[in-house]
């Protein structure tokens, strides 16, 4: 079952009695209790990824002192934004136990659509970007309808999309094969815009303060309902740790060129989608459908609608990633959305902790996963390691991530798999 099942079970066991008796004081869950409960449910969360990131930093910084230099970390932030955004869309479909193999081709096609509208037709850059996003939404709608109304496997639907949308992209590019964007204005400036130092610190305060406020509100609502709540010490540790991590990141980036706008866009999408998935009815339905589609259908959830919206979201995020990639290159060409972009996006979602079996994962999986992949790539480039070795290492990391997820589910109780 999914995370929803776990939440429902917890609420059912701790719901106040119906005979009017006042509910017992809510139990306070400490750090050890929470960790033990998550391990019992087979949910390791981001612990393996965090450990992996620390090992990567230690190994590469010991081999090349430039790895943790502000300039290199700023480049790393620029490199991960486009593929990480595509990985966000992959997370949406993986939560349903589906797959989207067309994300790379869709990102390239939508980037070409945007560039044609802006360059060949002289459309305002904002309207060109909106046109690309609408194209992504239509593509996702087509995928979703084929998956639900025609009962076609998502693997086949999106594999056909991978081939077909890439062909359409090449057709639109024509004999030129490349369209350049103006370097000094418009869309190309997205990847060359840096936040002033003060803005970076404002972002830290807003994110850390928002996290603390959301945690306290959730704690109060659970206490009012008689459910177990986090201890105040654990709340302080979580919010304080997040503030320290964000402050360290901003300090490093400000010591170079500042916080890049593309990273702000990517981070904003991560936070916004996490709020949608965890704090809205639609988000909880996605977890429910991914955990057990038949049980969700019997509970009255429109699983067709959920699946269609998930595929639309995936394609729109792929379009956004394509726009960011085109901005960084200041052009689109026949390789846009190609190479290993799709594989890295899927690998990032899985390595970050999203389950291939559906029902478990968060948008932060994309952030953590792409950070792992780009760190490995960046470190090996600094060491002049052959790309063949990089692919093999990335493959091993992906296999280990899936193995951990499989073993965790095997060891979890039947009701929460």
């Amino acid at each position: 079952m999914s995370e929803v099942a776990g939440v429902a079970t917890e609420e059912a066991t701790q719901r106040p009695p119906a005979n009017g008796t006042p509910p017992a004081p809510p139990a306070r869950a400490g750090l050890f209790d929470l960790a033990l409960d998550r391990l019992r449910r087979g949910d390791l969360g981001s612990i393996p990824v965090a450990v992996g990131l620390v090992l990567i930093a230690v190994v590469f910084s010991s081999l090349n002192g430039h790895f943790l230099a502000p300039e290199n970390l700023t480049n790393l932030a620029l490199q991960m934004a486009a593929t990480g955004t595509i990985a966000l869309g992959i997370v949406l479909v993986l939560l349903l136990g589906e797959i989207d193999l067309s994300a790379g081709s869709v990102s390239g096609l939508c980037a070409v659509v945007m560039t044609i509208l802006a360059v060949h037709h002289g459309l305002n850059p904002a309207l060109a970007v909106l046109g690309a996003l609408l194209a992504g939404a239509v593509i996702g709608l087509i995928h979703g309808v084929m998956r639900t109304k025609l009962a076609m496997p998502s693997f086949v639907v999106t594999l056909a999309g991978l081939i077909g949308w890439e062909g359409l992209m090449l057709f639109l590019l024509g004999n030129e094969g490349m369209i350049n964007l103006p370097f000094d204005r418009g869309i190309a400036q997205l990847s060359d815009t840096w936040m002033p130092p003060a803005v970076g610190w404002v972002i830290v305060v807003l994110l850390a303060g928002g996290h603390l406020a959301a945690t306290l509100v959730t704690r109060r609502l659970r206490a009012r309902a008689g459910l177990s709540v986090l201890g105040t010490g654990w709340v302080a540790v979580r919010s304080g740790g997040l503030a320290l991590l964000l402050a360290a990141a901003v300090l490093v980036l400000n010591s170079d060129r500042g916080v890049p706008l593309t990273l702000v866009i990517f981070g904003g999408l991560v936070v916004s989608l996490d709020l949608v998935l965890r704090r809205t009815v639609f988000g909880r339905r996605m977890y429910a459908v991914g955990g057990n589609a038949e049980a969700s259908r019997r509970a009255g959830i429109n699983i067709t609608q959920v699946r269609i919206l998930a595929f639309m979201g995936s394609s729109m995020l792929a379009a956004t990633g394509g726009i960011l990639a085109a901005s960084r290159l200041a052009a689109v060409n026949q390789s846009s959305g190609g190479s290993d972009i799709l594989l890295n996006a899927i690998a990032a979602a899985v390595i970050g902790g999203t389950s291939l079996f559906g029902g478990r994962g968060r948008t932060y999986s994309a952030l953590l996963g792409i950070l792992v992949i780009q760190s490995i790539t960046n470190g090996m480039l600094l060491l002049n390691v052959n790309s063949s070795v990089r692919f093999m290492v990335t493959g091993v990391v992906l296999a280990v991530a899936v193995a951990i997820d499989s073993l965790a589910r095997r060891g979890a109780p039947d009701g929460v798999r």
Side-chain angles (χ1 to χ4, degrees):
M1 292 291 289
S2 64
E3 295 178 10
V4 176
V7 173
T9 301
E10 179 186 14
E11 293 180 355
T13 56
Q14 302 187 43
R15 187 178 292 118
N19 56 9
T21 305
R28 295 194 175 189
L31 175 60
F32 178 77
D33 297 328
L34 288 171
L36 187 62
D37 179 63
R38 294 185 67 173
L39 288 175
R40 188 180 298 116
R41 291 189 286 116
D43 184 7
L44 299 178
S46 59
I47 295 176
V49 187
V51 173
L53 283 172
V54 172
L55 291 176
I56 289 171
V58 170
V59 170
F60 284 120
S61 61
S62 63
L63 296 175
N64 190 313
H66 186 64
F67 180 75
L68 294 179
E71 180 183 1
N72 187 58
L73 292 179
T74 301
N75 291 332
L76 182 61
L78 286 172
Q79 293 164 1
M80 61 186 258
T83 308
T85 303
I86 299 174
L88 277 176
I90 300 295
V91 169
L92 294 182
V93 292
L94 287 181
L95 285 177
L96 300 181
E98 308 286 352
I99 191 64
D100 187 353
L101 299 179
S102 68
S105 298
V106 171
S107 70
L109 172 61
C110 292
V112 169
V113 170
M114 173 201 67
T115 307
I116 290 175
L117 292 176
V119 176
H120 289 178
H121 297 280
L123 212 61
N124 181 278
L127 294 178
V129 169
L130 180 60
L133 294 177
L134 288 176
V138 171
I139 290 172
L141 177 62
I142 293 173
H143 291 169
V145 169
M146 293 174 69
R147 168 65 184 91
T148 56
K149 301 299 183 180
L150 302 180
M152 296 175 62
S154 59
F155 179 90
V156 176
V157 170
T158 56
L159 179 60
L162 183 155
I163 301 170
W165 303 127
E166 183 176 3
L168 180 56
M169 180 192 73
L170 296 176
F171 175 79
L172 292 177
L173 285 172
N175 295 328
E176 298 178 12
M178 174 182 286
I179 306 175
N180 293 316
L181 287 164
F183 288 93
D184 56 347
R185 64 183 187 278
I187 298 165
Q189 288 297 300
L190 281 175
S191 60
D192 197 30
T193 299
W194 312 87
M195 300 292 101
V199 175
W201 293 115
V202 169
I203 293 174
V204 172
V205 173
L206 290 177
L207 289 178
H211 179 271
L212 177 60
T215 303
L216 291 176
V217 169
T218 301
R219 187 176 184 273
R220 185 174 69 249
L221 292 175
R222 290 180 63 86
R224 186 181 301 169
L227 304 174
S228 62
V229 296
L230 293 172
T232 53
W234 175 225
V235 171
V237 168
R238 288 179 61 185
S239 297
L242 176 62
L244 287 176
L245 286 175
L246 292 173
V250 169
L251 184 64
V252 170
L253 295 174
N254 280 346
S255 63
D256 184 42
R257 285 159 285 179
V259 179
L261 176 60
T262 53
L263 181 62
V264 175
I265 294 173
F266 175 43
L269 288 172
V270 171
V271 174
S272 300
L273 285 175
D274 184 68
L275 291 175
V276 170
L277 290 176
R278 298 178 62 235
R279 305 290 180 180
T280 67
V281 173
F282 171 74
R284 304 312 296 176
R285 286 176 177 176
M286 284 195 64
Y287 283 111
V289 173
N292 191 319
E294 179 58 24
S296 300
R297 185 188 65 79
R298 295 186 180 187
I301 296 176
N302 188 338
I303 61 176
T304 296
Q305 181 188 64
V306 170
R307 283 173 173 157
I308 290 177
L309 289 176
F311 277 103
M312 290 179 67
S314 176
S315 293
M316 291 183 71
L317 287 166
T320 305
I323 293 169
L324 295 179
S327 171
R328 188 160 185 261
L329 185 62
V332 291
N333 53 42
Q334 294 178 346
S335 64
S336 295
S339 185
D340 57 353
I341 290 179
L342 171 65
L343 299 180
N344 282 341
I346 296 176
V350 176
I351 290 173
T354 303
S355 176
L356 285 169
F357 306 99
R360 189 168 64 191
R362 293 180 63 179
T363 57
Y364 294 103
S365 302
L367 173 60
L368 294 172
I370 197 60
L371 188 55
V372 168
I373 292 177
Q374 291 296 343
S375 296
I376 293 173
T377 300
N378 183 277
M380 290 191 173
L381 288 176
L382 289 176
L383 298 175
N384 292 321
V385 176
N386 192 284
S387 60
S388 60
V389 178
R390 174 170 59 88
F391 288 141
M392 288 188 287
V393 171
T394 305
V396 170
V397 173
L398 176 60
V400 169
V402 176
I404 290 174
D405 180 52
S406 299
L407 291 175
R409 282 181 172 267
R410 184 182 302 174
D414 290 338
V416 294
R417 289 184 182 177

